[in-house]
Coordinates of all heavy atoms in Angstrom, one line a residue:
M1 N -7.7 -2.2 -36.5 CA -8.9 -1.5 -36.5 C -10.0 -2.0 -37.6 O -11.1 -2.0 -37.5 CB -8.7 -0.1 -36.6 CG -8.2 0.5 -35.2 SD -9.2 0.2 -33.8 CE -10.8 0.9 -34.3
D2 N -9.3 -2.3 -38.8 CA -10.1 -2.8 -39.8 C -11.1 -4.0 -39.4 O -12.2 -4.1 -39.7 CB -9.3 -3.2 -41.1 CG -8.6 -2.0 -41.7 OD1 -9.1 -0.9 -41.5 OD2 -7.6 -2.2 -42.5
T3 N -10.4 -5.1 -38.7 CA -11.1 -6.2 -38.3 C -12.1 -5.8 -37.2 O -13.3 -6.2 -37.2 CB -10.2 -7.2 -37.7 OG1 -9.2 -7.6 -38.8 CG2 -10.9 -8.5 -37.3
V4 N -11.7 -5.0 -36.2 CA -12.6 -4.6 -35.2 C -13.9 -3.9 -35.8 O -15.0 -4.2 -35.3 CB -11.9 -3.5 -34.3 CG1 -13.0 -2.9 -33.3 CG2 -10.9 -4.2 -33.5
E5 N -13.7 -3.1 -36.9 CA -14.9 -2.4 -37.4 C -15.8 -3.3 -38.1 O -16.9 -3.0 -38.4 CB -14.3 -1.4 -38.5 CG -13.7 -0.3 -37.8 CD -13.0 0.9 -38.9 OE1 -12.6 0.3 -39.9 OE2 -13.1 1.9 -38.6
M6 N -15.3 -4.6 -38.4 CA -16.2 -5.5 -39.0 C -17.4 -6.1 -38.0 O -18.3 -6.5 -38.4 CB -15.4 -6.7 -39.5 CG -14.6 -6.5 -40.7 SD -13.5 -7.8 -41.2 CE -14.5 -9.2 -41.3
F7 N -17.0 -5.9 -36.6 CA -17.8 -6.3 -35.6 C -18.5 -5.4 -34.8 O -19.4 -5.7 -34.2 CB -17.0 -7.4 -34.8 CG -16.4 -8.4 -35.5 CD1 -15.1 -8.5 -35.9 CD2 -17.2 -9.7 -35.8 CE1 -14.5 -9.5 -36.5 CE2 -16.7 -10.7 -36.4 CZ -15.3 -10.7 -36.8
M8 N -18.0 -4.1 -34.8 CA -18.6 -3.2 -34.0 C -18.3 -1.8 -34.4 O -17.3 -1.5 -35.2 CB -18.1 -3.3 -32.4 CG -16.7 -3.0 -32.2 SD -16.1 -3.3 -30.5 CE -17.1 -2.1 -29.6
D9 N -19.2 -0.8 -34.1 CA -18.8 0.6 -34.4 C -18.0 1.2 -33.3 O -18.2 1.1 -32.2 CB -20.3 1.4 -34.3 CG -21.2 0.9 -35.5 OD1 -20.6 0.6 -36.6 OD2 -22.3 0.9 -35.3
V10 N -16.9 1.9 -33.8 CA -16.0 2.6 -32.9 C -16.2 4.0 -33.3 O -16.1 4.4 -34.5 CB -14.6 2.1 -33.2 CG1 -13.7 2.9 -32.3 CG2 -14.4 0.6 -33.0
P11 N -16.2 4.9 -32.3 CA -16.4 6.4 -32.5 C -15.2 6.8 -33.5 O -14.1 6.3 -33.2 CB -16.3 7.0 -31.1 CG -16.8 5.9 -30.1 CD -16.4 4.6 -30.8
E12 N -15.5 7.6 -34.4 CA -14.6 8.1 -35.4 C -13.4 8.7 -34.7 O -12.2 8.3 -35.1 CB -15.2 9.2 -36.3 CG -14.3 9.6 -37.4 CD -14.9 10.5 -38.5 OE1 -16.2 10.5 -38.4 OE2 -14.2 11.1 -39.1
E13 N -13.4 9.5 -33.7 CA -12.2 10.1 -33.1 C -11.4 9.1 -32.4 O -10.1 9.1 -32.5 CB -12.7 11.2 -32.1 CG -11.5 12.1 -31.6 CD -10.8 12.8 -32.8 OE1 -11.5 13.2 -33.6 OE2 -9.6 13.0 -32.5
L14 N -12.0 8.1 -31.6 CA -11.2 7.0 -31.2 C -10.6 6.2 -32.1 O -9.3 5.9 -31.9 CB -12.2 6.2 -30.2 CG -11.5 4.9 -29.5 CD1 -10.4 5.4 -28.7 CD2 -12.6 4.2 -28.8
N15 N -11.2 6.0 -33.2 CA -10.6 5.2 -34.4 C -9.4 5.9 -34.9 O -8.2 5.2 -35.0 CB -11.7 5.0 -35.4 CG -11.2 4.1 -36.5 OD1 -10.1 4.0 -36.9 ND2 -12.2 3.3 -37.0
K16 N -9.5 7.2 -35.0 CA -8.3 8.0 -35.5 C -7.2 7.9 -34.5 O -6.0 7.8 -34.9 CB -8.8 9.3 -35.8 CG -9.6 9.6 -37.0 CD -10.0 11.0 -37.1 CE -10.9 11.3 -38.3 NZ -11.3 12.8 -38.2
E17 N -7.5 8.0 -33.3 CA -6.4 7.9 -32.3 C -5.8 6.6 -32.1 O -4.6 6.7 -32.1 CB -7.1 8.2 -30.7 CG -7.4 9.7 -30.6 CD -6.1 10.5 -30.4 OE1 -5.3 10.1 -29.5 OE2 -5.9 11.4 -31.2
I18 N -6.5 5.5 -32.3 CA -5.9 4.2 -32.2 C -5.0 4.1 -33.4 O -3.9 3.5 -33.4 CB -7.0 3.1 -32.1 CG1 -7.7 3.2 -30.7 CG2 -6.3 1.7 -32.3 CD1 -8.8 2.3 -30.6
R19 N -5.6 4.4 -34.6 CA -4.8 4.3 -35.8 C -3.6 5.2 -35.8 O -2.4 4.9 -36.4 CB -5.5 4.7 -37.1 CG -6.6 3.6 -37.4 CD -7.5 4.0 -38.5 NE -8.6 3.0 -38.8 CZ -8.4 1.9 -39.5 NH1 -7.4 1.7 -40.0 NH2 -9.5 1.0 -39.6
S20 N -3.6 6.2 -35.1 CA -2.4 7.1 -35.0 C -1.2 6.5 -34.2 O 0.0 7.0 -34.3 CB -2.7 8.5 -34.3 OG -2.9 8.3 -32.8
L21 N -1.5 5.5 -33.4 CA -0.4 4.7 -32.9 C 0.6 4.2 -33.7 O 1.7 3.8 -33.4 CB -1.0 3.6 -31.9 CG -1.8 4.1 -30.8 CD1 -2.5 2.9 -30.0 CD2 -1.0 4.8 -29.8
D22 N 0.1 3.9 -35.0 CA 1.1 3.4 -36.0 C 2.3 4.2 -36.3 O 3.4 3.8 -36.6 CB 0.3 3.1 -37.3 CG 1.1 2.3 -38.3 OD1 1.7 1.2 -37.8 OD2 1.2 2.6 -39.4
E23 N 2.0 5.6 -36.1 CA 3.0 6.6 -36.2 C 4.2 6.4 -35.2 O 5.3 6.6 -35.5 CB 2.5 7.9 -36.2 CG 1.6 8.3 -37.2 CD 0.8 9.6 -37.1 OE1 1.3 10.4 -36.2 OE2 -0.2 9.8 -37.7
I24 N 3.8 5.8 -34.0 CA 4.9 5.6 -33.0 C 5.4 4.1 -33.0 O 6.6 4.0 -33.0 CB 4.2 5.8 -31.6 CG1 3.6 7.2 -31.4 CG2 5.2 5.5 -30.5 CD1 2.8 7.4 -30.1
F25 N 4.5 3.3 -33.2 CA 4.8 1.9 -33.1 C 4.9 1.0 -34.3 O 5.4 0.0 -34.2 CB 3.9 1.1 -32.1 CG 3.8 1.7 -30.7 CD1 2.8 2.3 -30.2 CD2 5.0 1.5 -29.8 CE1 2.6 3.0 -29.0 CE2 4.8 2.1 -28.6 CZ 3.7 2.8 -28.2
G26 N 4.5 1.7 -35.4 CA 4.5 0.9 -36.7 C 3.9 -0.4 -36.6 O 4.3 -1.4 -37.0
I27 N 2.7 -0.4 -35.9 CA 2.1 -1.8 -35.7 C 1.2 -2.2 -36.9 O 0.8 -3.4 -36.8 CB 1.2 -1.6 -34.4 CG1 0.2 -0.5 -34.6 CG2 2.0 -1.5 -33.2 CD1 -0.8 -0.4 -33.3
C28 N 1.0 -1.4 -37.9 CA 0.1 -2.0 -38.9 C 0.8 -2.7 -40.1 O 0.1 -3.2 -40.9 CB -0.6 -0.6 -39.4 SG -1.8 0.0 -38.3
S29 N 2.1 -2.8 -40.0 CA 2.8 -3.5 -41.1 C 3.8 -4.3 -40.5 O 4.8 -3.8 -39.8 CB 3.3 -2.5 -42.2 OG 4.0 -3.2 -43.1
I30 N 3.9 -5.6 -40.8 CA 5.0 -6.4 -40.4 C 6.1 -6.4 -41.6 O 7.3 -6.7 -41.3 CB 4.6 -7.9 -40.1 CG1 4.0 -8.6 -41.3 CG2 3.6 -8.0 -38.9 CD1 3.7 -10.1 -41.1
D31 N 5.8 -5.8 -42.7 CA 6.8 -5.7 -43.8 C 7.8 -4.6 -43.6 O 8.9 -4.8 -43.9 CB 6.0 -5.5 -45.1 CG 5.2 -6.7 -45.5 OD1 5.6 -7.9 -45.2 OD2 4.1 -6.4 -46.1
D32 N 7.3 -3.5 -42.9 CA 8.0 -2.4 -42.7 C 7.9 -2.0 -41.1 O 7.6 -0.9 -40.8 CB 7.7 -1.2 -43.4 CG 8.6 -0.1 -43.5 OD1 9.8 -0.3 -43.2 OD2 8.1 1.0 -43.8
Y33 N 8.3 -3.0 -40.3 CA 8.1 -2.8 -38.9 C 9.1 -1.8 -38.3 O 10.3 -1.7 -38.6 CB 8.4 -4.2 -38.1 CG 8.2 -4.0 -36.7 CD1 7.0 -3.9 -36.2 CD2 9.4 -3.9 -35.7 CE1 6.7 -3.8 -34.7 CE2 9.1 -3.8 -34.4 CZ 7.8 -3.7 -33.9 OH 7.7 -3.6 -32.6
F34 N 8.6 -0.9 -37.5 CA 9.4 0.2 -36.8 C 8.8 0.4 -35.4 O 7.7 0.2 -35.2 CB 9.2 1.4 -37.6 CG 9.7 2.6 -36.9 CD1 11.0 2.9 -36.7 CD2 8.8 3.5 -36.2 CE1 11.6 4.0 -36.1 CE2 9.1 4.5 -35.5 CZ 10.6 4.9 -35.5
H35 N 9.8 0.4 -34.5 CA 9.3 0.6 -33.1 C 9.9 2.0 -32.6 O 11.1 2.0 -32.3 CB 9.7 -0.6 -32.2 CG 9.1 -0.5 -30.8 ND1 9.4 0.4 -29.9 CD2 8.1 -1.3 -30.3 CE1 8.7 0.2 -28.8 NE2 8.0 -0.8 -29.0
G36 N 9.1 3.0 -32.7 CA 9.5 4.2 -32.1 C 9.5 4.3 -30.6 O 9.2 3.4 -29.9
E37 N 9.7 5.4 -30.1 CA 9.8 5.6 -28.7 C 8.8 6.7 -28.2 O 8.9 7.9 -28.6 CB 11.2 6.2 -28.1 CG 12.3 5.1 -28.4 CD 13.6 5.6 -27.8 OE1 13.6 6.4 -26.7 OE2 14.7 5.2 -28.4
P38 N 7.7 6.2 -27.6 CA 6.6 7.2 -27.2 C 7.1 8.2 -26.1 O 8.1 7.8 -25.3 CB 5.6 6.3 -26.6 CG 6.2 4.9 -26.3 CD 7.4 4.9 -27.2
G39 N 6.5 9.3 -26.2 CA 6.9 10.3 -25.1 C 5.9 10.4 -24.1 O 4.8 9.8 -24.1
L40 N 6.1 11.3 -23.1 CA 5.1 11.5 -22.1 C 3.7 11.8 -22.6 O 2.7 11.3 -22.0 CB 5.5 12.4 -21.0 CG 6.7 11.9 -20.1 CD1 7.3 13.1 -19.2 CD2 6.3 10.7 -19.3
P41 N 3.7 12.8 -23.5 CA 2.3 13.0 -24.0 C 1.5 11.8 -24.6 O 0.3 11.6 -24.5 CB 2.5 14.0 -25.0 CG 3.9 14.6 -24.7 CD 4.6 13.5 -24.1
D42 N 2.4 10.9 -25.3 CA 1.8 9.7 -25.8 C 1.3 8.8 -24.7 O 0.2 8.1 -24.9 CB 2.9 8.8 -26.5 CG 3.4 9.7 -27.8 OD1 2.6 10.3 -28.5 OD2 4.6 9.7 -28.0
T43 N 1.9 8.7 -23.6 CA 1.3 8.0 -22.5 C 0.1 8.3 -22.0 O -0.9 7.5 -21.9 CB 2.4 8.1 -21.3 OG1 3.6 7.7 -21.6 CG2 1.9 7.3 -20.1
D44 N -0.1 9.7 -22.0 CA -1.5 10.2 -21.6 C -2.6 9.9 -22.6 O -3.8 9.5 -22.2 CB -1.5 11.8 -21.3 CG -0.6 12.1 -20.2 OD1 -0.5 11.3 -19.3 OD2 -0.2 13.3 -20.2
R45 N -2.2 10.1 -23.8 CA -3.0 9.8 -25.0 C -3.6 8.3 -25.0 O -4.7 7.9 -25.0 CB -2.4 10.1 -26.3 CG -2.4 11.4 -26.8 CD -1.8 11.6 -28.1 NE -2.3 10.8 -29.1 CZ -1.7 10.0 -29.9 NH1 -0.4 10.0 -29.8 NH2 -2.3 9.2 -30.8
I46 N -2.6 7.4 -24.8 CA -2.8 6.0 -24.8 C -3.7 5.5 -23.7 O -4.6 4.8 -23.7 CB -1.4 5.1 -24.8 CG1 -0.8 5.4 -26.1 CG2 -1.7 3.6 -24.4 CD1 0.6 4.9 -26.1
L47 N -3.5 6.1 -22.5 CA -4.3 5.9 -21.3 C -5.8 6.3 -21.4 O -6.8 5.6 -21.2 CB -3.8 6.5 -19.9 CG -2.5 5.8 -19.4 CD1 -2.0 6.5 -18.3 CD2 -2.8 4.3 -19.1
L48 N -5.9 7.5 -22.1 CA -7.3 8.0 -22.5 C -7.9 7.0 -23.4 O -9.2 6.7 -23.4 CB -7.1 9.4 -23.0 CG -6.8 10.4 -22.0 CD1 -6.7 11.9 -22.7 CD2 -8.0 10.5 -21.0
M49 N -7.1 6.6 -24.4 CA -7.7 5.6 -25.3 C -8.1 4.3 -24.7 O -9.2 3.8 -25.0 CB -6.7 5.3 -26.5 CG -6.6 6.3 -27.5 SD -5.3 5.6 -28.9 CE -4.0 6.8 -28.6
C50 N -7.4 3.8 -23.8 CA -7.7 2.6 -23.0 C -9.1 2.8 -22.3 O -10.0 2.0 -22.4 CB -6.7 2.2 -22.1 SG -5.2 1.6 -22.8
D51 N -9.3 4.0 -21.7 CA -10.5 4.3 -21.1 C -11.7 4.4 -22.0 O -12.8 3.9 -21.7 CB -10.4 5.6 -20.3 CG -9.5 5.5 -19.0 OD1 -9.2 4.4 -18.5 OD2 -9.0 6.6 -18.6
A52 N -11.4 4.9 -23.1 CA -12.5 5.0 -24.2 C -12.9 3.6 -24.7 O -14.1 3.3 -24.9 CB -12.0 5.9 -25.3
V53 N -12.0 2.8 -24.8 CA -12.2 1.5 -25.4 C -13.0 0.6 -24.3 O -13.9 0.0 -24.6 CB -10.9 0.7 -25.8 CG1 -11.2 -0.8 -26.0 CG2 -10.3 1.3 -27.0
E54 N -12.6 0.8 -23.0 CA -13.3 0.1 -22.1 C -14.9 0.6 -22.0 O -15.7 -0.2 -21.8 CB -12.6 0.4 -20.6 CG -13.5 -0.2 -19.5 CD -12.8 0.1 -18.2 OE1 -12.1 1.3 -17.9 OE2 -13.0 -0.7 -17.3
G55 N -15.0 1.9 -22.4 CA -16.4 2.4 -22.3 C -17.2 1.7 -23.5 O -18.4 1.9 -23.4
L56 N -16.5 1.2 -24.4 CA -17.3 0.6 -25.6 C -18.1 -0.8 -25.2 O -18.9 -1.2 -25.9 CB -16.4 0.2 -26.7 CG -15.8 1.5 -27.5 CD1 -14.8 0.9 -28.5 CD2 -16.8 2.4 -28.1
F57 N -17.6 -1.3 -24.0 CA -18.2 -2.6 -23.6 C -18.9 -2.4 -22.3 O -18.6 -1.7 -21.4 CB -16.9 -3.5 -23.3 CG -16.1 -3.8 -24.5 CD1 -15.0 -3.0 -24.7 CD2 -16.5 -4.6 -25.5 CE1 -14.1 -3.1 -25.8 CE2 -15.8 -4.9 -26.7 CZ -14.6 -4.1 -26.8
D58 N -20.0 -3.3 -22.3 CA -20.9 -3.2 -21.1 C -20.3 -3.9 -19.9 O -20.2 -5.2 -19.9 CB -22.2 -4.0 -21.5 CG -23.2 -3.9 -20.5 OD1 -23.0 -3.9 -19.2 OD2 -24.5 -4.0 -20.7
Q59 N -19.8 -3.1 -19.0 CA -19.1 -3.6 -17.9 C -19.9 -4.6 -16.9 O -19.3 -5.6 -16.5 CB -18.4 -2.6 -17.0 CG -17.3 -1.7 -17.8 CD -16.2 -2.7 -18.4 OE1 -15.6 -3.4 -17.6 NE2 -16.1 -2.5 -19.6
E60 N -21.1 -4.3 -16.9 CA -22.0 -5.2 -16.1 C -22.2 -6.6 -16.7 O -22.0 -7.7 -16.1 CB -23.4 -4.7 -15.9 CG -23.4 -3.5 -14.9 CD -24.7 -2.9 -14.6 OE1 -25.8 -3.8 -14.6 OE2 -25.0 -1.7 -14.3
K61 N -22.3 -6.7 -18.1 CA -22.4 -7.8 -18.8 C -21.1 -8.6 -18.6 O -21.1 -9.8 -18.5 CB -22.9 -7.6 -20.3 CG -23.3 -8.7 -21.0 CD -23.6 -8.3 -22.4 CE -24.6 -9.4 -23.0 NZ -25.1 -8.9 -24.3
I62 N -20.0 -8.0 -18.8 CA -18.7 -8.6 -18.6 C -18.5 -9.3 -17.3 O -18.1 -10.3 -17.2 CB -17.5 -7.6 -19.1 CG1 -17.6 -7.2 -20.4 CG2 -16.1 -8.3 -18.7 CD1 -16.6 -6.1 -20.8
S63 N -18.9 -8.4 -16.3 CA -18.7 -9.0 -14.9 C -19.7 -10.3 -14.8 O -19.3 -11.3 -14.1 CB -19.2 -8.0 -13.9 OG -18.4 -6.9 -13.8
S64 N -20.9 -10.2 -15.2 CA -21.7 -11.5 -15.0 C -21.3 -12.5 -15.8 O -21.3 -13.8 -15.4 CB -23.1 -11.0 -15.6 OG -23.4 -10.8 -16.9
I65 N -20.7 -12.4 -17.0 CA -20.0 -13.5 -17.8 C -18.8 -14.1 -17.0 O -18.8 -15.3 -16.9 CB -19.6 -13.0 -19.2 CG1 -20.8 -12.8 -20.0 CG2 -18.9 -14.2 -19.9 CD1 -20.6 -12.1 -21.3
R66 N -18.1 -13.3 -16.5 CA -16.9 -13.6 -15.7 C -17.4 -14.5 -14.5 O -16.9 -15.5 -14.2 CB -16.1 -12.5 -15.1 CG -15.2 -11.9 -16.0 CD -14.3 -10.9 -15.4 NE -13.3 -10.2 -16.4 CZ -13.1 -8.9 -16.4 NH1 -13.6 -8.2 -15.6 NH2 -12.4 -8.5 -17.4
E67 N -18.4 -14.0 -13.9 CA -19.0 -14.7 -12.6 C -19.5 -16.1 -13.0 O -19.3 -17.0 -12.3 CB -20.1 -13.8 -12.1 CG -20.5 -14.2 -10.7 CD -19.3 -14.1 -9.7 OE1 -18.4 -13.2 -9.8 OE2 -19.3 -14.9 -8.8
S68 N -20.2 -16.2 -14.1 CA -20.8 -17.4 -14.6 C -19.7 -18.4 -15.0 O -19.8 -19.6 -15.0 CB -21.8 -17.2 -15.8 OG -21.1 -16.8 -16.8
L69 N -18.6 -17.9 -15.4 CA -17.4 -18.8 -15.9 C -16.5 -19.2 -14.8 O -15.7 -20.1 -15.0 CB -16.6 -18.1 -17.0 CG -17.2 -17.8 -18.3 CD1 -16.4 -17.1 -19.2 CD2 -17.7 -19.1 -18.9
K70 N -16.7 -18.8 -13.6 CA -15.8 -19.1 -12.5 C -15.9 -20.5 -12.2 O -14.9 -21.3 -11.9 CB -16.1 -18.2 -11.3 CG -15.6 -16.9 -11.2 CD -15.9 -16.3 -9.9 CE -15.2 -14.9 -9.9 NZ -15.4 -14.2 -8.5
G71 N -17.0 -21.2 -12.4 CA -17.1 -22.7 -12.2 C -16.3 -23.5 -13.2 O -16.2 -24.7 -13.0
Y72 N -16.0 -23.0 -14.4 CA -15.4 -23.7 -15.4 C -13.9 -23.5 -15.3 O -13.2 -24.1 -16.2 CB -15.8 -23.2 -16.7 CG -17.4 -23.5 -17.0 CD1 -18.3 -22.5 -16.9 CD2 -17.8 -24.7 -17.2 CE1 -19.7 -22.8 -17.0 CE2 -19.1 -25.0 -17.5 CZ -20.1 -24.0 -17.3 OH -21.4 -24.3 -17.5
E73 N -13.4 -22.6 -14.6 CA -12.0 -22.5 -14.5 C -11.2 -23.8 -14.0 O -11.7 -24.5 -13.2 CB -11.5 -21.3 -13.6 CG -11.9 -20.0 -14.1 CD -11.7 -18.9 -13.1 OE1 -11.1 -19.1 -11.9 OE2 -12.0 -17.7 -13.3
G74 N -10.1 -24.0 -14.8 CA -9.3 -25.2 -14.4 C -9.9 -26.5 -14.9 O -9.4 -27.6 -14.5
T75 N -10.9 -26.5 -15.7 CA -11.5 -27.8 -16.2 C -11.2 -27.9 -17.6 O -10.9 -27.1 -18.4 CB -13.1 -27.9 -16.0 OG1 -13.6 -26.6 -16.7 CG2 -13.4 -27.9 -14.5

């Protein structure tokens, strides 16, 4: 999230939710790596976060870029 914040604004609540994933997955440190086991409520939270992250990006612009890059695939 520190790196993402260098390039874009992330709503504070979403930022907190994403950072809270470290409590489950221990993703913020490779020195003290821990992989917990998410529960069913975590699944719902993570899916909501994914929807919120998707909302940060202009889907029409992404679609137009994908369309323009189709001719470059495989080259």
Side-chain angles (χ1 to χ4, degrees):
M1 285 307 301
D2 292 341
T3 302
V4 169
E5 290 175 325
M6 291 170 54
F7 299 98
M8 67 185 299
D9 293 325
V10 177
E12 186 176 341
E13 192 59 35
L14 177 58
N15 191 321
K16 286 179 186 177
E17 281 292 302
I18 292 171
R19 288 178 185 274
S20 76
L21 293 175
D22 191 47
E23 295 171 14
I24 301 168
F25 299 110
I27 57 177
C28 291
S29 173
I30 58 173
D31 295 328
D32 190 23
Y33 181 75
F34 166 78
H35 190 291
E37 293 186 32
L40 286 177
D42 296 315
T43 303
D44 293 336
R45 283 182 51 232
I46 292 168
L47 289 173
L48 287 172
M49 280 184 248
C50 290
D51 288 341
V53 168
E54 181 182 27
L56 295 175
F57 301 94
D58 183 335
Q59 296 303 308
E60 284 184 33
K61 193 173 202 176
I62 291 170
S63 293
S64 71
I65 291 170
R66 280 189 183 136
E67 199 59 36
S68 68
L69 292 175
K70 280 187 178 179
Y72 296 102
E73 291 177 0
T75 57

